[in-house]
Amino acid sequence: MEIISEIGLNHGGSLDKALEMIRISKECDCQTVKFQFYNVDLLCADRNCFESYKLLDKIKMRPGWIPYLAAECKRWGIEFLVTVFDRFGAEQLADYVTRYKIASPEAANITFLKQVASFGKPLLISTGKVTSEQLDRIFDEIKVPIELLYCISKYPALTSDYKLSEIKRLKKRYGCKVGVSCHCAGIKNALDAVDKGADIVEKHFTLTNDTVDAAVSIYPCDLKKMCEIIRRNNER
């Protein structure tokens, strides 16, 4: 069972805070920390989010952070995972990550997936905005190992929005590891997903309530509690 601490952009543009969150994630017993790495000009052009440009530019992960974050993850024995949004970002990270995370809006872009897959690393793909036909094409055409994270693209989502039976359906159809990216408040949905057979749990993590993803994030005490419950139940 893999537990991913989704730091995302909750570092608020502070390298020191990002490094601190790596340490705390490890102390809570997560195996992986995940960041987001984008070129704000490309991201906003692709997503028509010009009104968010200044905020996204302010809180972005800087290219110069990459070796420091990777080294800190290595020091703590935790995987450094990053969501990439363009092939240039994937190239910059190629020497530092063992796989790439793909957000669901980008997952439908088969050309982009092939560009990222050209670096020869596995892909962890969120399914929130991907159709069944698009997923079939991904598994037909992408020639690197793929894992899936079932999710609902609402921030925050309700537990009732999640149809956790999808986890077993996706496992059966594609024969790969399938987890959940939880966009609900609290930890209940993540724990329910484990009961439904999730191999991976990704949960947003924050230190303060003023971060961009605070509405779907949990604090260190709840992250530790979630990890403890999952580990304990897996030992039964």
Side-chain angles (χ1 to χ4, degrees):
M1 168 60 63
E2 179 185 5
I3 301 174
I4 301 174
S5 169
E6 162 72 275
I7 295 172
L9 300 173
N10 282 340
H11 50 71
S14 166
L15 175 58
D16 288 341
K17 190 172 183 180
L19 295 171
E20 179 186 11
M21 294 177 81
I22 291 171
R23 173 184 60 79
I24 294 172
S25 297
K26 177 63 176 181
E27 290 174 349
C28 288
D29 202 20
C30 297
Q31 289 147 303
T32 305
V33 290
K34 188 179 81 67
F35 293 89
Q36 295 181 20
F37 183 56
Y38 54 80
N39 178 304
V40 69
D41 295 295
L42 294 176
L43 183 70
C44 288
D46 290 345
R47 296 185 177 215
N48 296 316
C49 55
F50 294 106
E51 70 280 2
S52 303
Y53 183 97
K54 288 184 178 180
L55 173 62
L56 289 170
D57 190 49
K58 179 180 177 181
I59 64 176
K60 69 184 178 184
M61 171 182 156
R62 273 63 175 174
W65 293 13
I66 293 172
Y68 295 100
L69 296 176
E72 189 72 355
C73 286
K74 183 176 181 180
R75 185 166 81 92
W76 288 103
I78 193 168
E79 182 185 350
F80 178 47
L81 179 65
V82 184
T83 301
V84 292
F85 297 88
D86 58 74
R87 65 182 178 88
F88 307 107
E91 183 176 11
Q92 286 179 278
L93 285 155
D95 291 337
Y96 297 94
V97 299
T98 57
R99 56 180 171 164
Y100 295 102
K101 173 70 189 299
I102 306 296
S104 60
E106 278 65 45
N109 185 343
I110 197 73
T111 300
F112 170 64
L113 294 185
K114 288 179 178 179
Q115 290 171 344
V116 179
S118 70
F119 294 99
K121 300 177 187 294
L123 305 181
L124 177 60
I125 300 175
S126 285
T127 66
K129 291 189 176 182
V130 188
T131 67
S132 295
E133 292 77 14
Q134 288 167 336
L135 272 178
D136 287 346
R137 186 181 180 191
I138 288 169
F139 278 88
D140 284 342
E141 298 188 25
I142 301 302
K143 304 305 181 185
V144 296
I146 295 170
E147 299 170 330
L148 298 176
L149 287 181
Y150 166 63
C151 68
I152 299 297
S153 293
K154 292 170 64 176
Y155 302 88
L158 302 175
T159 56
S160 58
D161 293 326
Y162 276 76
K163 310 303 179 188
L164 296 176
S165 59
E166 273 292 289
I167 294 170
K168 288 186 177 179
R169 187 191 72 82
L170 291 168
K171 277 188 175 186
K172 183 176 181 180
R173 184 168 184 84
Y174 299 111
C176 66
K177 286 187 177 182
V178 178
V180 66
S181 182
C182 179
H183 300 155
C184 302
I187 64 175
K188 182 181 185 302
N189 186 60
L191 297 176
D192 288 345
V194 175
D195 290 339
K196 294 294 184 179
D199 300 303
I200 306 164
V201 169
E202 179 184 82
K203 185 64 188 175
H204 285 75
F205 165 55
T206 190
L207 300 180
T208 59
N209 65 1
D210 59 351
T211 55
V212 66
D213 287 322
V216 297
S217 301
I218 56 177
Y219 295 104
C221 58
D222 286 325
L223 183 62
K224 184 175 182 180
K225 179 180 178 181
M226 184 185 79
C227 291
E228 288 175 347
I229 293 172
I230 291 172
R231 302 293 183 220
R232 184 169 64 245
N233 289 346
N234 277 355
E235 291 173 358
R236 291 178 180 173

